[in-house]
């Protein structure tokens, strides 16, 4: 795995974790939603640099290799 691919996968996992945290309390979600701007920007840039824009299937295979819980089984 190349460094830029690893960085893209890690940025995506951070974005996912931040999104889950923001949405964990629906009452407070609107207050914290703006905090997702930086992780979204980081993930978008990392995806572009790694060449994953438009190649989502390859990207998600890489993410699953780093984060097996993202296999889609719901666990």
């Amino acid at each position: 795995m190349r460094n830029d691919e690893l960085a893209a996968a890690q940025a995506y996992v951070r974005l996912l974790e931040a999104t889950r945290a923001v949405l964990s309390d629906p009452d407070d979600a609107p207050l914290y939603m703006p905090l997702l701007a930086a992780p979204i920007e980081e993930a978008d840039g990392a995806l572009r640099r790694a060449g994953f824009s438009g190649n989502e299937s390859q990207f998600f295979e890489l993410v699953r290799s780093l984060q097996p819980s993202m296999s889609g089984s719901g666990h």
Side-chain angles (χ1 to χ4, degrees):
M1 176 180 328
R2 297 184 336 241
N3 286 341
D4 57 348
E5 292 173 338
L6 178 60
Q10 290 172 330
Y12 174 77
V13 170
R14 283 191 293 276
L15 173 59
L16 184 61
E17 290 171 349
T19 301
R20 285 180 177 160
V22 165
L23 298 177
S24 67
D25 185 350
D27 293 332
D28 289 336
L31 176 66
Y32 295 113
M33 218 47 113
L35 297 177
L36 294 177
I40 289 170
E41 186 176 324
E42 176 194 15
D44 283 345
L47 288 168
R48 268 192 313 280
R49 287 187 295 280
F52 285 124
S53 296
N55 194 358
E56 290 78 11
S57 62
Q58 182 184 4
F59 172 70
F60 285 115
E61 283 180 37
L62 179 65
V63 170
R64 279 190 295 276
S65 74
L66 296 173
Q67 189 89 6
S69 64
M70 302 177 94
S71 65
S73 66
H75 295 45

